Amino acid sequence: APIRLRDYRRPDWSVEAIELEIDLGIDSTEVTSRITLHGDPAKAEPLRLDGEELELLTISLDGRALNAEDYRYEKGVLEVSDAHGGSVLETRVRVQPAANTTLEGLYLSGSREHGFLLTQCEAEGFRHITFFPDRPDVLARFTVTLRADRERFPVLLAGGNPAGSGTLADGRHWAKFVDPHPKPCYLFALVAGRLENIQRDYLTADGREVKLVIWSEANVIDRCHYALDALERCMRWDEHKYGRNYDLDVFHVVATHDFNMGAMENKGLNIFNAKYLLADPDSSTDEEYRAVEAVVAHEYFHNWTGNRVTCRDWFQLSLKEGLTVFREQQFSADMNSLPLKRIEDVALLRRTQFPEDAGPLAHPVRPAEYREINNFYTATVYEKGSELVRMIAGRLGQEGFRRGMDLYFERHDGQAATIEHFLSALGDANRIDLTPYLAWYAQAGTPRLHAKGEYDSARREYTLTLSQQTRPTPGQPEKTPLPIPVKLSLFDRSGTMLPLHLQGDAQVDGTERVIVLDKPSQRFVFKHVSAPPVPSLLRGFSAPVVLECDYSPEELALLLTHDADGFNRWEAGQQLAMLAFDTSHDGNDSAACKAWCDALAALFTLQTIDDALLADLLTPPGEIEFADRQSEVDPAKIHAQRQSLQHRLAERIGVSDLLARYRLLSTDSHAQLEAASQAKRRLKRRVLELLVLLDADQAHELAAKQYDSASGMTDRLAALSVLVRTNATQASAALAHFRERYADNPLALDKWFTVQAQVPGDAALAIVQRLENDPAFTLKNPNRARSLFGAFASTNPSGFHRTDGAGYALIAERLAQLDALNPQIAARLATAFNGWQRLEPVRRSAARLALEGLAQREGLSPNLSEIVSNVLQR
Ligand code: ARG
Ligand code: ZN
């Protein structure tokens, strides 16, 4: 049965303190736990603790060993009869780290001989380590003592401040940690093994001396410096922007190659998927550098939004995730470029969250029910959640939002809070009622915002009629209107912004403002408008909606050419490309296609736009975005149509201009990491991709040369991707070279798998089948499994969606195998089937067949079953 938000009850028992003593071993680890209980004596509920697959060795209450009739341990619950407030329960259990393939709880990363032990507890991993009320609203003071063989486990780490260490008999040693901040058990972590570190002293703005330490296996410790710099930058930023200081004497960060997610914000001991911590020019792309900076910041920011103020229950997950994503987005924009960051994030939202919101897996940012919480770490909770915070922050303004955040921390520091608490604090600090925004948290589906403008030349008035509509989603047939802030400007036909005089509004002047649509439909009248204007709507993507506005191609081209706001300039281009796509018919260019090509060709020649922005402007929406707008999807056709759109663009710019620009961009005197240098590489890649469409032979030659002479991974991978998609002979040489060169670098090798799994069309399947037989392939490592099957099923629509259904059959088969090892990863991969109902009939029935076959298998995990049955809409 599902767990429901409305059934929330405060815990009957809380835990004041927990003392853990952990005797670590690869095959067998023994965990002694002493918890001091706090119970409400009025409630006669017996003590119930969560515990999964624990081998119970001893149990005692208040110093007295319990008899078999004093407790019961079954189905993941330990029930103890005679506990009372102040009781101390001591248990000793055994767990088996090396046998744990789920990468949840305590597990081994790497080989038995050389690997290290670590934990992942969020959301419910702690119950795989010891007995505890495994829910985020039970906050306890943690004291942890680790004991292990010194030779095999020279480094022992747990969250909190160090509180002594020493030697034991038989070559063993111990280390103790005390965390002064009460925390829920999902923030507990330990790490033990042979690890190297780099470190730096840091003085917080409020005067605390902190040691920042990054740990990794010896062979990659040199690649941790960029992360350490990023950590220092985001710590300073949080002090400055939000007045938040770090609150322990040490901050440990550990890299592992075996991790289900991106990273984890365990208090004082963050653990990272190596993909988001290691970076060096030879094996990381520019995008990966940015991702490292972003994830380091994300996890660090959790220390306040997530740890100091945590979540009452897992329905509130977006309270910490949406808010922390938003803070990371602000930080990254400050460190790099605001419009580029916004473009990247909105593109991600459209590629991942919009399809989720439009299909059988749709759920609100705060879901009302779930079966398996690990399935709810979704683009909706994270990315849409961040958009909701952004809307509210926009409503309050910079200072108002800061005031609200200050009050939120003041009220809820040390507590497990809810989304209502968050909105109240932000609203109260500004004397604004934010409760209307709660509806955004409760309602699934992406609202459609319809805009229609009418100009009255006699009255010199422009009337903008906005209306909204959200389609039904599973379990939510009726939708209510939401408050939708629309940031807008009006342009005249020469591309100049007009002063805005909104009827019935005291605020005069200004060329940009926000109007809020909170009814099904509303009219906004602008006065003193001398000629029919072109509206620039939803600037900066001021609300996570789909805008429907019947712009003419000329109007979009005007915005694409003149809008001063980099984001909306890109957005106009995206909408124009959509229009061009919708109106393209074989051979004959539509007006929209001409307008798109002409405007971009002009911007291409005019060398005034930043190279990176130009690269983004030259990129039409992705295949997934096009598919999202169609009622009957044929991925092969979408791929071909998108290619031909790009072909038109390449033709319009012309081979000689593209070549000239490619050559120009190939000389670069900047340092590798400088923004200008990254921008050049981004544009160079786009130009090369356009060149391929016009003069394949020449482009291959350039790509082969670029591959050979590349000074870093960005250029090398871009060249490899072009070769792989177009020229088998040159590609096989480069592929062999890459395979050999990075044989010992798993993160680089992942890219080798991915770039091949992304080859479009029917060729992809055979490639994937060949690659899964590569000796370096394994289902046991999540990064590797994702690099092949995730890349194929989730990012290569024309490869995965074959008419013969062989793509579906392969993935269904691998899902079953993966599920036996790691249910979380299997469930995530299964979301690739989202949207199958809207496929054209042939693919649709093939997909159904594969899914139904999978659903019928015995022994599927709760994780995978939930996704499969939801996708099937059972
Ligand atoms: N809290 C982590 C982050 O967003 C993600 C952990 C998710 N873990 C999981 N098992 N679903 O930084
Ligand atoms: Zn997070």
Side-chain angles (χ1 to χ4, degrees), residues 122 261 263 265 298-299 302 320-321 374 377 382 824:
E122 188 179 3
M261 313 289 287
E265 70 265 22
H298 178 106
E299 303 313 326
H302 267 315
K320 74 178 176 81
E321 295 304 345
N374 285 308
Y377 287 73
Y382 277 65
Q824 286 184 26

Side-chain angles (χ1 to χ4, degrees), residues 452-516:
K452 189 164 178 52
E454 269 162 320
Y455 182 68
D456 182 333
S457 55
R459 308 177 63 127
R460 305 200 333 142
E461 274 178 11
Y462 177 70
T463 303
L464 187 65
T465 306
L466 298 180
S467 50
Q468 59 171 303
Q469 188 246 330
T470 304
R471 294 177 187 165
T473 54
Q476 280 190 340
E478 306 296 337
K479 300 291 179 179
T480 60
L482 302 171
I484 299 178
V486 181
K487 190 188 271 188
L488 60 83
S489 293
L490 298 180
F491 282 80
D492 71 14
R493 302 277 153 171
S494 70
T496 309
M497 277 199 275
L498 301 170
L500 301 178
H501 306 277
L502 184 59
Q503 189 175 57
D505 194 279
Q507 186 192 323
V508 277
D509 275 4
T511 52
E512 180 182 86
R513 55 163 307 158
V514 180
I515 56 181
V516 181

